[in-house]
Amino acid sequence: MTTEERTTTPAGSAKRALVGRLSWGLADQAASSISNFAVGIYVARSLGVTAFGVFSLAWVTYGVVLNVSRGLATDPLVVRFSGGPDASWRGAVARSSGAALGVGAALGAACVVVGLAVGDRVGPAFACLGVVLPGLLLQDAWRFAFFAAGAGRKAFVNDVVWGVALVPAMVVAARVGSVSAFVLAWGGSAAVAAVYGCFQSGIRPRPTGAREWLRAHRDLGTRYLVENVSNSGASQLRAYGLGAIVGVGAVGVVRGAELLLGPFMAVLMGLSLVTVAESARVLRRAPHRLGAFCLLLGGGQAVAALLWGGALLLVPDRLGELVLGGVWSSASQLIVPVTLGVAGAGLGTGAAAGLRALGAARRSLRAQLFASACYVGGGLGGAAVAGTVGSAWGVAAATLCGSALWWLQLRSALREHHRNTLREVRTP
């Protein structure tokens, strides 16, 4: 072997390992995307616009709870234990998954109480959501754990198990024909995958270690909690506000349009499973490449979303109605603004991953709060002016503004990290 071969082989191996991890991440997100898309389409066709709007309210509420769990339990795991020793990873996973279970049990109980108190159409769906939340959050926790260990294949297999379990569950729910049945089918199948995750990892969640985990990672967890909840909470406020201003059916229309961008929405929701862990590895091994790496991640997603949205504009109405049923006619009018919104969000997530890897929780929190305020203001302001279409355009404009701030914060954080590194080198 020549000297040149000896020097280039390690770099080539590192690149192949990176490509392999990202490939499993994309495969996992593809599996998640297909499942989420199939559930949304099946429910939309089975229940119609109004009932689908109720299901969508439960869905966005789950998104808020999921982000609470990620902020407290699994985001610190990815930032601090990606690529670390196996023994420390296993102990951290046991405690973080226990924390996720605790969040699911506590907030699930709250959902049940609220659902029973509200009643009407929405109440039963929320009560059923509360029942299945622990399983949903534990399944998500395993995905984070596997990606932190660089074992994306296991995360992919776990999502496939969830998808397979969804098939008979959805068939049974369709025969019952209620929103509650679909919520139970969706969450119950996630619980199957959550149990399977215990066998994959060989780790049993330790709810008794949740308090220790929260205390040890309070510096990151508190900020990530606020950041994540402001993100998903903005979506929930927009959905509730849109339902109050325009009607519950409008929530179903927006959700239908988002389903058309399903592959990219699913990737954005679970992006931190791959990109934060990989950004942390890049920071440790080649910190000068972090900015370019994040730009590649965000820019690639933005371009892909624009191409997909352009293709959707060419879909004939007959095919659209075959997919979304009666929701298509209204949802198709939102393709352009929803595509722009997803592209802007995709660009911003590249910068967000870099800030997470740098541990710049204060900067990422600042950017997220600004982006969330813009999202709610644009979505509800647009709804008040021009209904559902106005809300979609307001969100698109808000998302692009928020993405710009994310990148400004990442640029400042990279400069600060560079200065600190130089200071450490110069200090004797």
Side-chain angles (χ1 to χ4, degrees):
M1 181 180 292
T2 66
T3 302
E4 182 179 358
E5 287 174 331
R6 284 197 297 269
T7 56
T8 56
T9 297
S13 298
K15 287 182 180 180
R16 285 194 296 272
L18 171 61
V19 170
R21 290 191 297 268
L22 289 176
S23 297
W24 279 117
L26 291 174
D28 175 71
Q29 293 308 321
S32 176
S33 169
I34 292 171
S35 296
N36 289 335
F37 184 75
V39 169
I41 295 300
Y42 201 66
V43 175
R45 290 183 58 83
S46 300
L47 300 180
V49 174
T50 302
F52 184 54
V54 175
F55 182 84
S56 298
L57 290 176
W59 184 285
V60 297
T61 302
Y62 156 71
V64 175
V65 177
L66 178 66
N67 279 295
V68 171
S69 175
R70 287 181 174 179
L72 293 176
T74 49
D75 281 344
L77 174 75
V78 173
V79 171
R80 288 182 167 158
F81 293 91
S82 291
D86 183 69
S88 62
W89 173 81
R90 293 182 69 84
V93 169
R95 295 190 300 275
S96 66
S97 59
L101 266 181
V103 170
L107 296 185
C111 282
V112 171
V113 172
V114 171
L116 294 176
V118 170
D120 197 30
R121 287 184 173 184
V122 177
F126 273 68
C128 292
L129 175 64
V131 172
V132 298
L133 272 178
L136 285 164
L137 298 190
L138 181 58
Q139 192 275 338
D140 187 72
W142 290 131
R143 298 173 69 208
F144 270 80
F146 293 141
F147 278 110
R153 180 181 61 84
K154 291 185 177 181
F156 169 74
V157 171
N158 194 274
D159 267 329
V160 169
V161 169
W162 186 4
V164 171
L166 264 173
V167 175
M170 284 288 144
V171 172
V172 173
R175 292 182 178 178
V176 176
S178 68
V179 176
S180 298
F182 279 106
V183 172
L184 289 174
W186 165 56
S189 55
V192 173
V195 172
Y196 180 64
C198 297
F199 291 98
Q200 284 181 292
S201 63
I203 299 172
R204 183 178 300 176
R206 283 178 49 202
T208 55
R211 181 175 297 179
E212 177 189 350
W213 175 263
L214 297 177
R215 184 170 54 249
H217 304 283
R218 182 173 50 194
D219 57 331
L220 292 182
T222 302
R223 288 194 174 96
Y224 288 160
L225 169 65
V226 176
E227 180 182 328
N228 290 355
V229 171
S230 69
N231 180 23
S232 55
S235 299
Q236 190 175 25
L237 287 175
R238 186 251 185 140
Y240 290 164
L242 184 61
I245 295 171
V246 184
V248 176
V251 181
V253 171
V254 169
R255 177 61 185 157
E258 291 174 346
L259 280 174
L260 297 174
L261 273 293
F264 303 99
M265 296 297 291
V267 167
L268 289 177
M269 287 178 63
L271 187 64
S272 58
L273 293 173
V274 182
T275 56
V276 175
E278 293 306 324
S279 296
R281 288 186 175 94
V282 171
L283 179 63
R284 292 190 184 100
R285 297 170 182 172
H288 61 285
R289 296 180 180 174
L290 181 60
F293 180 75
C294 293
L295 182 60
L296 179 63
L297 290 173
Q301 285 187 95
V303 170
L306 291 173
L307 291 175
W308 184 270
L312 288 175
L313 294 174
L314 304 178
V315 173
D317 289 339
R318 182 177 301 176
L319 180 58
E321 290 171 357
L322 179 64
V323 174
L324 284 180
V327 179
W328 166 258
S329 60
S330 300
S332 60
Q333 300 176 27
L334 308 183
I335 290 176
V336 173
V338 169
T339 297
L340 292 176
V342 172
L347 184 61
T349 51
L355 287 172
R356 288 286 177 93
L358 288 165
R362 184 175 300 176
R363 290 188 178 278
S364 62
L365 175 59
R366 189 180 305 155
Q368 185 57 66
L369 290 176
F370 174 80
S372 297
C374 288
Y375 184 92
V376 174
L380 297 187
V385 173
T388 308
V389 175
S391 179
W393 277 107
V395 165
T399 304
L400 292 171
C401 291
S403 179
L405 183 62
W406 276 109
W407 280 101
L408 289 173
Q409 291 294 329
L410 177 60
R411 186 177 66 174
S412 298
L414 287 172
R415 288 177 177 174
E416 186 176 286
H417 179 76
H418 181 65
R419 287 195 300 269
N420 292 339
T421 302
L422 288 178
R423 190 179 300 116
E424 291 174 2
V425 170
R426 291 171 180 169
T427 300

